[in-house]
Amino acid sequence: MPIIVNLDVMMAKRKISAGELAERIDITPANLSILKNNKAKAVRFSTLEAICRELDCQPGDILEFSKDEQ
Amino acid sequence: MNIKWTHERSLLLSRVLTWAMFLLACAVLFLIPMITEWYDAVSGKPPVRTVLTVCLYISDIFAILAIWELNILLRNISKQELFTEKNTRCVRIISWCCFGVAAVCAALTFWRLLALMIAIVAAFVGLILRVVKNMLAAATEMREENDYTI
């Protein structure tokens, strides 16, 4: 997948654990793990909005496009 | 007596019928020499016992394999595992079994023209199953995409 999710980098910057973020954005830790490990096939705008709100960042800070991954 | 027909009962009936068919196909495997002998006796045409025996053995093995895969498919359905790669594989194998029987029957047509009808029916069923397999593969992909949408 050419889209890379840099959620773990942003989480480390904000010093927030996976469990806490999952609780704050109201998704299961298992789903957050899928997202963090680049296994997700799509992200809902509502999820992206909640992540950006809680981590105080922009979607571009979390998502990255890489040509090499194609 | 009013028996309520449920999804579970329907599934159970399918599984019982599949097992019955499996046992019948296994029994036929041992009865093929007798069946071919009887056929030559009643057909009133030149004997084709050897060819018929070979064709029936190959077809019966395809049938046993197809019924076995059908049983796996029904077991997965009862476990609520519908749109999976395992099920797609099962339908694909059953489809190829039908094409296998069609090929065997097509070869038998050189000796008995009636076998052409069975070959056409088997090929048609195989084709339908192939389309079902393609549909199942697309549904599996959609389910995976849905499951991995966060």
Side-chain angles (χ1 to χ4, degrees), chain A residues 34 39-44 47, chain B residues 141 144-150:
Chain A
I34 289 170
K39 298 265 170 63
K41 298 229 174 190
V43 186
R44 286 193 192 91
T47 310
Chain B
E141 209 171 291
E144 268 180 18
E145 196 158 312
N146 193 42
D147 283 355
Y148 286 100
T149 295
I150 311 297

Side-chain angles (χ1 to χ4, degrees), chain B residues 37-66:
Chain B
E37 194 182 346
W38 168 82
Y39 177 77
D40 265 352
V42 299
S43 70
K45 290 174 182 171
V48 284
R49 197 176 172 190
T50 313
V51 178
L52 197 62
T53 303
V54 171
C55 288
L56 279 181
Y57 270 120
I58 298 169
S59 298
D60 202 35
I61 288 165
F62 276 130
I64 289 170
L65 181 63

Side-chain angles (χ1 to χ4, degrees), chain A residues 29-40:
Chain A
N31 277 348
L32 186 70
S33 172
I34 289 170
L35 195 58
K36 245 175 64 178
N37 297 320
N38 270 298
K39 298 265 170 63

Side-chain angles (χ1 to χ4, degrees), chain B residues 43-144:
Chain B
S43 70
K45 290 174 182 171
V48 284
R49 197 176 172 190
T50 313
V51 178
L52 197 62
T53 303
V54 171
C55 288
L56 279 181
Y57 270 120
I58 298 169
S59 298
D60 202 35
I61 288 165
F62 276 130
I64 289 170
L65 181 63
I67 297 166
W68 184 252
E69 290 297 325
L70 211 56
N71 189 43
I72 294 172
L73 192 63
L74 286 168
R75 196 183 59 203
N76 290 345
I77 292 168
S78 63
K79 284 195 285 184
Q80 304 291 321
E81 293 170 8
L82 298 172
F83 306 115
T84 61
E85 276 180 23
K86 272 190 287 181
N87 288 356
T88 310
R89 187 177 165 269
C90 284
V91 179
R92 194 177 65 225
I93 292 171
I94 298 168
S95 159
W96 279 113
C97 285
C98 289
F99 284 127
V101 171
V104 170
C105 289
L108 190 62
T109 306
F110 288 110
W111 289 274
R112 290 286 186 269
L113 196 63
L114 196 69
L116 185 67
M117 269 178 69
I118 304 168
I120 291 168
V121 170
F124 189 61
V125 173
L127 187 67
I128 291 170
L129 285 173
R130 195 146 182 86
V131 175
V132 171
K133 179 233 124 190
N134 290 339
M135 215 164 73
L136 205 58
T140 304
E141 209 171 291
M142 277 173 74
R143 183 196 58 83
E144 268 180 18

